[in-house]
Amino acid sequence: MRIGLIGLGRIGAFHADTLAALSAVEELVVVDALDTAMKSVTERIPKARAAGSPDELLDAGVDGLVIAASTAAHAELMLASVKRGIPTFCEKPIAGSAREAASVRDELEGAGVPIQIGYPRRFDPAFAAARDAVRGGSLGRVHTVRSTTMDPAPPPASYLAVSGGIFRDCAVHDFDAVRWVTGREVVEVHAVGAVDPSAPAELYLDNDDFSTASTLLVMEDGTIGVVSNTRTNARGYDVRLEVHGSDDSVAAGLDDGLPLRSTQPGATWPAGPPHTFFMDRLAEAFRIELETFCAVAAGTVESPTPLGDALRTAWVAEAATVSARERRPVRVDEVAL
Ligand SMILES: NC(=O)c1ccc[n+]([C@@H]2O[C@H](COP(=O)([O-])OP(=O)(O)OC[C@H]3O[C@@H](n4cnc5c(N)ncnc54)[C@H](O)[C@@H]3O)[C@@H](O)[C@H]2O)c1
């Protein structure tokens, strides 16, 4: 297959390596707004060749497109790709705001072209096993789900300025994981945020954003979700999920790389070294996710994260953004269109 890849920054350059290592991918056609980003990928990866522009790439006859450009470019690129009939994978979030995401849905509904939105936790073997435990009934009645995504250090100010804020950019992974693992929808959120007082204003304050946030999720069956996020977890990249039920409890992400130092006398776990970033913690999940996309593009499987499903996650992020800014609980149907 020939796969196109637009955007070769932190995640795009990583996806280029992952895609090139897949046996289904014969050629990668890549483009980025920055020549330096393109050069570093085409020089490193023999399967990669550069296109002159996104339009040139879209007209190059690729079998599928991966969009890993900045969030602000997602909607326009997705519309251009799907309207040409190209099966499209787009990194989360669908767009800068859920309102814009809804207009993408309205334009593309019925297009008949598969779209997969990038939520890698759905492909992490431990998250999948937690979901199987819920579905298999071994946990009994699930009452609490805790989901955590903590970055070791903030991304650059240029990234944060167009990210949509911590709920749409980071917590959205947890909102999606809680929905996917429980199979239940979120009906109400209570979110709070705080700003690291030592951070320059251009990182958070200027963007009406937060460096640390917590969100309580009330699910349709009364299950409570507890989501924790920060941009400043110096010990490492912390991605985990716990599901507690009336009969049993399970956790995904409790391996020796868990970035926590136990203060329990005599404890030797976790043995470390801590996970440093998504590239090591979620490498296998990204590989399975992109391998799945190749199968989606080949028409052998359905998209596991279609637009409508991803949009329901986006509404939760929207409700959390409003909740933290206005300091009040927000029902998801108040913001959903
Ligand atoms: N699934 C995940 O776990 C995960 C992790 C990180 C980032 N992301 C998402 O991936 C996207 C990129 O994040 P990143 O950290 O790589 O950002 P980044 O800023 O490092 O890279 C973005 C790249 O896109 C390029 N670009 C922007 N607009 C473009 C356009 N119109 N055409 C071509 N190139 C364009 C930029 O030049 C840059 O190289 C974001 O939407 C982010 O939310 C997802």
Side-chain angles (χ1 to χ4, degrees):
M1 306 179 82
R2 298 175 74 216
I3 298 291
L5 171 59
I6 303 183
L8 303 167
R10 290 185 313 166
I11 192 85
F14 183 71
H15 281 344
D17 286 304
T18 307
L19 285 164
L22 296 178
S23 57
V25 176
E26 284 145 4
E27 187 179 42
L28 263 184
V29 188
V30 301
V31 75
D32 192 283
L34 297 174
D35 283 345
T36 46
M38 235 169 4
K39 222 170 155 211
S40 109
V41 165
T42 50
E43 284 178 356
R44 188 177 73 246
I45 302 176
K47 281 184 185 175
R49 75 167 175 86
S53 67
D55 275 341
E56 191 184 303
L57 187 155
L58 292 170
D59 291 333
V62 292
D63 301 302
L65 176 73
V66 173
I67 299 170
S70 318
T71 296
H74 289 185
E76 190 185 336
L77 292 171
M78 211 181 322
L79 290 171
S81 174
V82 172
K83 284 182 177 171
R84 282 171 169 88
I86 303 170
T88 302
F89 174 98
C90 183
E91 266 306 339
K92 52 51 68 176
I94 300 168
S97 71
R99 186 169 283 273
E100 197 186 353
S103 75
V104 171
R105 185 238 4 233
D106 293 346
E107 271 208 58
L108 297 184
E109 219 165 36
V113 178
I115 300 171
Q116 181 179 339
I117 304 299
Y119 281 108
R121 282 152 189 72
R122 293 188 182 207
F123 302 90
D124 179 82
F127 275 65
R131 181 180 194 247
D132 288 346
V134 172
R135 303 224 156 182
S138 63
L139 306 189
R141 188 184 59 78
V142 171
H143 49 77
T144 304
V145 185
R146 294 176 199 273
S147 185
T148 302
T149 302
M150 296 193 174
D151 291 337
S158 56
Y159 176 97
L160 287 173
V162 294
S163 70
I166 194 166
F167 298 104
R168 297 183 184 117
D169 182 63
C170 177
V172 75
H173 284 294
D174 301 279
F175 302 153
D176 190 69
V178 172
R179 287 185 57 236
W180 184 71
V181 167
T182 62
R184 298 278 180 269
E185 294 298 342
V186 180
V187 292
E188 186 174 281
V189 308
H190 304 224
V192 291
V195 176
D196 171 3
S198 69
E202 58 172 357
L203 283 187
Y204 309 112
L205 289 175
D206 289 354
N207 302 317
D208 205 6
D209 197 2
F210 305 102
S211 54
T212 298
S214 281
T215 312
L216 285 178
L217 306 174
V218 182
M219 315 296 290
E220 59 193 338
D221 63 347
T223 301
I224 296 174
V226 185
V227 171
S228 288
N229 304 100
T230 189
R231 302 288 196 186
T232 59
N233 193 53
R235 193 165 177 83
Y237 185 58
D238 192 347
V239 166
R240 63 193 142 105
L241 176 128
E242 296 167 16
V243 192
H244 301 273
S246 54
D247 295 345
D248 199 4
S249 297
V250 293
L254 295 193
D255 62 5
D256 278 325
L258 180 71
L260 274 181
R261 186 168 56 79
S262 175
T263 55
Q264 200 65 30
T268 55
W269 183 86
H275 296 297
T276 52
F277 213 16
F278 54 78
M279 285 82 162
D280 65 326
R281 168 66 183 85
L282 292 169
E284 178 63 358
F286 284 122
R287 191 192 64 72
I288 301 170
E289 180 180 51
L290 291 175
E291 192 173 57
T292 303
F293 173 62
C294 289
V296 169
T300 54
V301 299
E302 298 218 333
S303 168
T305 20
L307 214 42
D309 188 358
L311 188 57
R312 283 193 283 279
T313 292
W315 294 130
V316 182
E318 206 62 26
T321 304
V322 174
S323 173
R325 284 183 184 161
E326 298 184 6
R327 295 171 177 263
R328 65 179 176 92
V330 174
R331 287 187 61 82
V332 174
D333 59 15
E334 178 187 326
V335 297
L337 299 175

